[in-house]
Amino acid sequence: MGQTKLGARSPVLEAAVGFALGAVGGCILGATEDPVDKTLSVMTSSGLLKPVIEEVRMVGALGLGTLIGTTALTTAMTSVVAGVILAAAVASVFVATRSCGTSHTDSAGLWASAGLAGAFGTTLSGATLGVAIEWIVKNYGMVGLLWALGIFTVLKPPLHFVFKLLWKQGEACCTLGSADWVREREQIEITELQQRQRVAVQIEQKILTLEKGGNTSGKEHMTTWVAERRQREEIEKKKTESEEAQMEQRTIQDWINTVVVKHVDFLAFSGIPMTVVAIVTSGFGVFGYGGHQSVFIVLLALVAIIAYLLLKSSDFKFWMLVGCMGMLATFVIAMLTLHAGQVVVTTAMKMRAAGQSQSRETISARMNHQSSLEALNTAFFGAKLCQLGLGATVGGPLVRRAAGDSKVIVGAALVAGGLLAGVETLAPVLGEGGKAGALLGVVGAVGVSVGAVAAMAGRWSSWPGTLGTLAGLVIGALGMGKWHIVNIGLQLPVAYVFAMTNPF
């Protein structure tokens, strides 16, 4: 469906409405800043950071950065796709079992049920993956995490084909509901046939009466013909409404199927480039070359080759784009991790020049600590950006499909707020890993609202509406986010770019 302008209003009213809706999306984005920062602070405390520090010597700084970065981004991608698939399944069942109507698009029940299912699925999936990763790291270290990531990546492509077969079977079961359409169409045809037969009998009776020389009452026949015409019009109206509702149902179901197929492909293949990079760099570390300069050269060459092969593909797909972006993000996280350790060395050299010498063991311990700290910080922030962007790719198309700007923006914000409160309440049960994963899921729901705001900003018929929407988004995010200008300043452009991308 092509993008259309919003209904004509005065520029001042457009600016006011846009500012209010933009502020809703911005405020819920800013509201996630403090809980995420607190969770990250606990994760990077000495107790939870210790298992990571112990494994830096095993995989090296570059290996640690790529491994943690890939794990965080894979968690974000998986949880978003899980939420989208659950939402699509609920929407598909809702559409298939819905009673006939002229428009399913405007049905609040459809979008509300799908939105709740998607947000809950994303949050629950994130929490589950967070708990699993925390358990693996504590019990098996980074090598165990590397094995788990590799096995998960290998299993995704075959599971992708299995899921597609299961989805087709489920879709076939849902289409059994089309028997309702058949029964209704048959009932309309029977009613129409009966009406025609009744009119034919009345005409024959009138002809016979005239042939016998009888007298017919014009007023009586006029009343009969008016009633018959009215009934015929009602039959035609019911037939038209049934056809329109059935066509609308098929359109929505086709769109749902497209969304599911694209996201399943995205889940199956987009993580492969990142995982290959993590396995190669971590493998160098396991075999004792974690700190060698050749690892950096191999990493750079590997990223360049994979990106070139994906980008030159004649059949370029959305998962390839996100795969390249995720691989680049992993490379940046690895660079920052390596740089953090080098900063410690540089500082130690300056101290030695000033006469404050430190032992090699102390410098090594500080390097490992700083590298681990940087790896977790940057990986978690990268996962947050990924989650926000992928959520925006859902919110943007929903608005462009005329699902209702205010419904998507406010609905997603309310759901995200409820989930945020629920995660804070269940924090003792979830643990730090589960809470971190669940918060990433909440950020995905926030991304839907922010993406809807971004899409709505481009659909106003005047510049004041667009500028008012963007102003509300920025001010709301900064105000609720305690003026974390750098963090929010990076998140908003990412959400805008993904919201304007149409992966379907």
Side-chain angles (χ1 to χ4, degrees), residues 237-360:
K237 181 180 178 182
K238 186 179 295 185
K239 184 189 297 185
T240 302
E241 289 178 350
S242 178
E243 292 174 353
E244 290 177 352
Q246 189 172 4
M247 183 62 68
E248 185 68 22
Q249 184 191 45
R250 289 176 179 172
T251 301
I252 293 181
Q253 188 62 52
D254 289 342
W255 187 68
I256 291 172
N257 293 338
T258 301
V259 171
V260 170
V261 169
K262 294 292 185 181
H263 277 83
V264 171
D265 289 344
F266 163 66
L267 176 62
F269 304 115
S270 62
I272 294 178
M274 294 185 299
T275 306
V276 170
V277 170
I279 290 175
V280 170
T281 52
S282 300
F284 272 95
V286 170
F287 288 103
Y289 296 96
H292 202 274
Q293 292 181 352
S294 61
V295 181
F296 171 75
I297 299 174
V298 172
L299 175 60
L300 184 60
L302 190 62
V303 170
I305 292 171
I306 295 177
Y308 174 76
L309 293 175
L310 290 177
L311 293 175
K312 70 170 291 189
S313 174
S314 58
D315 186 20
F316 191 76
K317 297 180 180 179
F318 179 67
W319 73 261
M320 296 180 181
L321 173 64
V322 180
C324 289
M325 296 176 67
M327 185 174 59
L328 180 61
T330 303
F331 176 77
V332 172
I333 292 169
M335 291 298 99
L336 292 173
T337 304
L338 181 64
H339 176 70
Q342 291 177 342
V343 169
V344 174
V345 176
T346 303
T347 303
M349 292 175 63
K350 291 180 180 179
M351 293 176 64
R352 179 177 297 177
Q356 300 177 2
S357 180
Q358 291 182 327
S359 65
R360 181 172 298 179

Side-chain angles (χ1 to χ4, degrees), residues 12-296:
V12 176
L13 183 58
E14 285 186 357
V17 173
F19 183 87
L21 292 176
V24 172
C27 286
I28 192 62
L29 174 62
T32 62
E33 285 295 303
D34 193 48
V36 168
D37 287 346
K38 288 181 179 178
T39 300
L40 187 57
S41 298
V42 176
M43 289 179 61
T44 53
S45 63
S46 57
L48 294 177
L49 195 62
K50 186 177 180 181
V52 181
I53 296 175
E54 292 175 350
E55 296 293 330
V56 177
R57 301 181 185 90
M58 178 68 70
V59 295
L62 285 173
L64 179 70
T66 55
L67 184 56
I68 292 182
T70 300
T71 302
L73 293 175
T74 300
T75 301
M77 293 176 182
T78 304
S79 61
V80 167
V81 174
V84 170
I85 291 175
L86 183 58
V90 171
S92 184
V93 173
F94 189 95
V95 170
T97 58
R98 179 78 169 157
S99 60
C100 297
T102 57
S103 176
H104 289 288
T105 304
D106 297 329
S107 172
L110 170 63
W111 300 116
S113 59
L116 286 171
F120 179 76
T122 300
T123 305
L124 181 61
S125 175
T128 303
L129 290 172
V131 171
I133 291 170
E134 183 181 7
W135 181 81
I136 291 172
V137 171
K138 284 184 176 180
N139 291 275
Y140 299 100
M142 287 293 132
V143 176
L145 185 61
L146 179 64
W147 275 102
L149 186 63
I151 293 172
F152 182 58
T153 303
V154 170
L155 289 178
K156 282 193 294 183
L159 289 176
H160 146 266
F161 293 107
V162 173
F163 177 83
K164 281 190 174 181
L165 292 175
L166 294 176
W167 179 263
K168 288 181 179 179
Q169 294 297 323
E171 183 186 359
C173 293
C174 287
T175 54
L176 294 176
S178 61
D180 296 335
W181 296 108
V182 175
R183 284 194 296 269
E184 182 174 357
R185 187 166 59 251
E186 291 176 349
Q187 184 63 38
I188 292 174
E189 291 175 353
I190 292 173
T191 304
E192 186 177 16
L193 180 61
Q194 291 175 346
Q195 199 260 351
R196 289 178 179 175
Q197 291 175 345
R198 189 168 57 250
V199 170
V201 169
Q202 291 173 358
I203 292 175
E204 290 178 359
Q205 289 177 348
K206 184 176 182 181
I207 293 174
L208 290 174
T209 301
L210 291 173
E211 289 177 348
K212 293 178 181 179
N215 188 16
T216 59
S217 172
K219 184 177 180 181
E220 179 182 349
H221 282 288
M222 182 60 68
T223 303
T224 302
W225 288 118
V226 169
E228 294 293 345
R229 185 181 64 184
R230 188 174 300 164
Q231 186 176 8
R232 185 168 62 251
E233 291 174 351
E234 290 178 355
I235 293 174
E236 290 295 330
K237 181 180 178 182
K238 186 179 295 185
K239 184 189 297 185
T240 302
E241 289 178 350
S242 178
E243 292 174 353
E244 290 177 352
Q246 189 172 4
M247 183 62 68
E248 185 68 22
Q249 184 191 45
R250 289 176 179 172
T251 301
I252 293 181
Q253 188 62 52
D254 289 342
W255 187 68
I256 291 172
N257 293 338
T258 301
V259 171
V260 170
V261 169
K262 294 292 185 181
H263 277 83
V264 171
D265 289 344
F266 163 66
L267 176 62
F269 304 115
S270 62
I272 294 178
M274 294 185 299
T275 306
V276 170
V277 170
I279 290 175
V280 170
T281 52
S282 300
F284 272 95
V286 170
F287 288 103
Y289 296 96
H292 202 274
Q293 292 181 352
S294 61
V295 181
F296 171 75

